[in-house]
Amino acid sequence: MLMPPMPMRQHLETTPCVFYVYIPPQLCSTLQQSFLNPNTTNNNSRRSNPKPLRILLALHGYTGRPLQEIRKWHSVVTSLNAILLAPAGTLTPSMGLGWNAIDCCGDPVLKGVNDLDFVVNGVVETFLDVLRTSLSGEEPPPLAKQEEQQRQIGNVIATGFSNGGFLSSLLGLQSSSPTQTRPSWLIGIVPTGGYQYNIDLYTTIDSPVRPLALMSHHGGKDAVVNPTGCCASTSNNPSESSESGSSSSRSSNCPMDIGIKQASCTSVQTAFELWSRINGCSSTILDEAIAKDVNDSHQRRQQQQQTEQQTNIAISNHKILTHNHRKEKEEGDGNKNNNNNNDIVTCYKGIQCQEPTNFCLWNNEGHAWGFQFPGMDMARIWMEGVFLRAEEEMM
């Protein structure tokens, strides 16, 4: 069930902010009985703590739309028996919706829009507050007690693509300082095609980041959010120099000035290693098991295609058969060698970590996961494990 969008605040003081809620059909009756229709149960059962709801917070990319995230993830949340929250970012004059996630992207960054506060307070905590009120039949408690009660009601995993990946990473990297406290309901993040570049966010000593489950995904051929990192580069263009009044001016090595605030580039692999330190991992290694099914499936498809090609050749006349068979054999051998050295996906995992810590690099993928994402099955299995782990800890 897709609930009507809920308006929450103004975007750039002109456009109302909304978020969408998708509830799988099989979860509707449970919600109605446990939360939305408390009169169907007695006071004792109604006020007892039910099993925490599973919630997936999905953040769209720059110029993306919340409904794209719902279409992308609805089968996953249905399998997980989870609720999907899909907020709309800040409306920009020319490029559509976006988020201020420090290093990306556009007008929301330039105008300093506090999208992190909106996602935390305007979306998730507002939604949890509605559920808590429905469950107890009382008005919201004082702020000091809200976080504990909301944690009991829902466990949240945040995911996002591109600009949304930057923001979900930023949400996970909120430290233990009073001004940057990470919500206790956040139990994991799955950033795809976007991550935070500022190393200081990962290594703050005075207010360190608490361990958090992470599964990061990135395209190995991403030309928008470069897997080697986006950062400022120096230009010697005379026209640019004259405008800035200096001998050189700064620009980013990535489109849309992504990462221009950073003097040096932080690769997605480095970001994963920094997360492994946060999560107390003893080391990181290749995770061949998680990638095996994807790579084996790809190899089976290629073998099937080669078999079909050879069958088509066999029904041709002898001259064409001889010519094409030699050509296909050479190409097939070449592809086979490439496959051995270039799997579809290469994954890594942390060892002896306090929280699950995973990263997958999709070697031949670019920056086109706005509508579909090749790692859906991986993410679904990983999310199931993270949700179960959190639920067991609360028992």
Side-chain angles (χ1 to χ4, degrees):
M1 178 179 71
L2 179 61
M3 297 178 63
M6 302 176 65
M8 298 310 303
R9 71 160 191 200
Q10 294 293 111
H11 272 311
L12 299 184
E13 300 180 354
T14 58
T15 306
C17 174
V18 300
F19 68 91
Y20 292 79
V21 181
Y22 173 76
I23 304 175
Q26 77 276 10
L27 190 55
C28 288
S29 59
T30 303
L31 275 178
Q32 185 176 12
Q33 181 177 0
S34 300
F35 292 96
L36 304 182
N37 191 14
N39 292 329
T40 60
T41 58
N42 60 52
N43 288 336
N44 290 334
S45 62
R46 176 162 61 91
R47 292 178 182 273
S48 63
N49 291 329
K51 178 181 177 181
L53 288 171
R54 296 177 172 187
I55 299 173
L56 179 63
L57 172 67
L59 306 172
H60 62 75
Y62 194 52
T63 75
R65 293 290 186 273
L67 290 179
Q68 292 175 350
E69 296 303 308
I70 291 176
R71 293 189 187 100
K72 187 195 308 182
W73 292 103
H74 81 276
S75 63
V76 170
V77 295
T78 298
S79 174
L80 293 172
N81 209 33
I83 294 173
L84 178 60
L85 302 182
T90 300
L91 180 63
T92 65
S94 59
M95 296 297 290
L97 300 175
W99 307 101
N100 175 11
I102 299 181
D103 287 311
C104 177
C105 292
D107 281 358
V109 176
L110 295 175
K111 295 180 181 294
V113 178
N114 195 345
D115 282 313
L116 192 63
D117 175 73
F118 164 60
V119 167
V120 171
N121 296 303
V123 178
V124 178
E125 295 200 359
T126 295
F127 181 73
L128 292 177
D129 226 18
V130 170
L131 292 181
R132 190 211 64 79
T133 303
S134 299
L135 175 63
S136 65
E138 302 172 351
E139 291 300 315
L143 290 176
K145 296 184 179 180
Q146 281 189 20
E147 184 173 335
E148 178 183 355
Q149 293 191 3
Q150 288 170 342
R151 176 70 172 89
Q152 295 171 350
I153 292 176
N155 292 326
V156 181
I157 293 176
T159 185
F161 167 61
S162 188
N163 192 186
F166 281 90
L167 189 59
S168 61
S169 296
L170 182 61
L171 177 60
L173 285 168
Q174 295 305 290
S175 68
S176 57
S177 69
T179 59
Q180 292 185 331
T181 301
R182 190 175 69 211
S184 61
W185 40 253
L186 186 69
I187 62 171
I189 58 172
V190 185
T192 66
Y195 60 99
Q196 288 296 317
Y197 300 137
N198 188 350
I199 292 180
D200 291 341
L201 291 175
Y202 301 84
T203 58
T204 304
I205 297 177
D206 295 336
S207 53
V209 177
R210 301 191 310 273
L212 181 71
L214 165 82
M215 174 176 256
S216 176
H217 295 264
H218 211 91
K221 295 184 178 179
D222 192 330
V224 178
V225 182
N226 197 314
T228 62
C230 298
C231 56
S233 60
T234 302
S235 171
N236 293 317
N237 187 315
S239 62
E240 294 180 354
S241 299
S242 61
E243 292 177 1
S244 63
S246 63
S247 59
S248 63
S249 62
R250 289 161 63 92
S251 62
S252 173
N253 64 328
C254 293
M256 300 181 292
D257 283 337
I258 297 175
I260 196 171
K261 296 180 180 180
Q262 307 303 326
S264 59
C265 292
T266 301
S267 71
V268 66
Q269 183 82 41
T270 298
F272 166 68
E273 296 294 338
L274 291 170
W275 265 111
S276 72
R277 296 178 190 176
I278 291 173
N279 288 342
C281 307
S282 61
S283 62
T284 58
I285 62 171
L286 278 172
D287 189 356
E288 297 180 351
I290 197 172
K292 186 177 186 300
D293 289 342
V294 175
N295 291 324
D296 287 352
S297 177
H298 172 69
Q299 291 179 3
R300 286 194 298 270
R301 285 196 301 270
Q302 285 209 327
Q303 290 172 357
Q304 182 179 2
Q305 291 172 358
Q306 291 172 7
T307 300
E308 291 174 353
Q309 290 174 351
Q310 292 173 357
T311 301
N312 291 335
I313 292 170
I315 64 175
S316 302
N317 61 54
H318 181 73
K319 182 177 180 180
I320 297 178
L321 172 64
T322 303
H323 173 74
N324 285 350
H325 180 68
R326 183 182 301 112
K327 179 179 178 181
E328 293 294 333
K329 185 177 185 301
E330 292 173 354
E331 292 179 351
D333 291 343
N335 290 336
K336 187 181 299 183
N337 290 335
N338 289 337
N339 290 338
N340 291 335
N341 297 321
N342 189 18
D343 288 334
I344 290 297
V345 60
T346 304
C347 294
Y348 304 85
K349 66 178 179 181
I351 301 299
Q352 297 177 335
C353 306
Q354 297 179 41
E355 295 287 348
T357 310
N358 302 84
F359 163 58
C360 289
L361 185 69
W362 296 81
N363 299 309
N364 298 315
E365 291 284 330
H367 196 78
W369 296 345
F371 292 92
Q372 57 184 0
F373 167 53
M376 299 298 286
D377 284 341
M378 280 187 192
R380 174 184 56 79
I381 295 171
W382 184 89
M383 290 177 184
E384 175 72 30
V386 172
F387 278 128
L388 283 173
R389 178 184 172 120
E391 290 158 4
E392 290 171 355
E393 289 177 352
M394 294 182 66
M395 292 179 62

